[in-house]
Amino acid sequence: MRCPRCLDEYEPSVATCASCGETLLPPGVAPPRRADALLGRFHPVVAERLRRTLEHRGVLHRVVTRDDDVEIHVDRDQQADLRAELALTWAQVVHALPADDVVTVLGLGGASPGWYDAPQGGWVDRAGRFVVEAEGDGTDGPRMAGPAVAAAGAVVLLLAWYAGASAGVIVAGGALLLVGLLIPR
């Protein structure tokens, strides 16, 4: 028996995982799909529109209503594609709302009004897919390392030129700039 969440293995007589309490599955049985990945936090009017769209498409989802917003959770395998699609078509989503609701949502302001944790950017991965991530998910650190090192190298080069520093300082600044440009993003 194997836990579908933490992948711990157990004897056949055990029914639940001791670590996380998940029901164990026999070998070869795929874990059930579940809506456990956060798609986003939305204004209630927008969340209702998104909920209807997800139902129409047959996308497994779960809605959690809170005081000021609504969280929508989807299957982890579909989260990245749905977030990317929303990021690219957010204006159409908002303008498809009834006219009074469009005014209300646009009045919230921001780049993606009505989407409270909208991604602030995206990139194209090596497979050619547009990728967006939730804020604070830890992916920006590695993507910013290269530009930060390159900027530090440029600053060292400029200060060395201005101050008339030795060749060693200039070489170090150039090396930092080059390494920063070569670090993958």
Side-chain angles (χ1 to χ4, degrees):
M1 301 294 278
R2 180 177 288 263
C3 176
R5 180 176 293 166
C6 59
L7 303 179
D8 290 343
E9 291 187 19
Y10 291 92
E11 295 294 322
S13 61
V14 180
T16 59
C17 177
S19 300
C20 64
E22 190 74 24
T23 301
L24 301 179
L25 299 174
V29 174
R33 290 179 43 210
R34 61 174 92 204
D36 60 351
L38 180 65
L39 178 63
R41 292 179 24 248
F42 304 96
H43 185 275
V45 172
V46 177
E48 178 57 28
R49 169 76 179 182
L50 292 175
R51 184 194 62 75
R52 288 194 319 261
T53 301
L54 292 172
E55 282 180 5
H56 177 72
R57 289 184 179 182
V59 175
L60 179 67
H61 65 282
R62 178 172 53 95
V63 177
V64 178
T65 304
R66 301 183 340 174
D67 290 338
D68 298 332
D69 60 20
V70 177
E71 287 183 352
I72 298 180
H73 298 261
V74 295
D75 185 37
R76 188 163 305 283
D77 294 337
Q78 295 178 309
Q79 177 193 31
D81 291 337
L82 289 170
R83 284 182 66 81
E85 180 183 348
L86 282 176
L88 290 172
T89 62
W90 189 251
Q92 290 91 352
V93 170
V94 171
H95 288 289
L97 297 170
D100 292 342
D101 293 335
V102 170
V103 172
T104 301
V105 171
L106 289 178
L108 298 171
S112 300
W115 188 357
Y116 299 129
D117 59 349
Q120 299 302 309
W123 67 94
V124 177
D125 67 4
R126 292 185 180 180
R129 294 183 343 167
F130 180 65
V131 179
V132 295
E133 297 291 339
E135 187 175 325
D137 64 355
T139 60
D140 282 343
R143 291 187 330 123
M144 294 303 296
V149 172
V155 168
V156 169
L157 277 175
L158 286 172
L159 289 176
W161 171 75
Y162 181 75
S166 67
V169 174
I170 293 173
V171 168
L176 278 174
L177 180 64
L178 183 61
V179 167
L181 293 175
L182 295 177
I183 292 176
R185 292 181 249 318

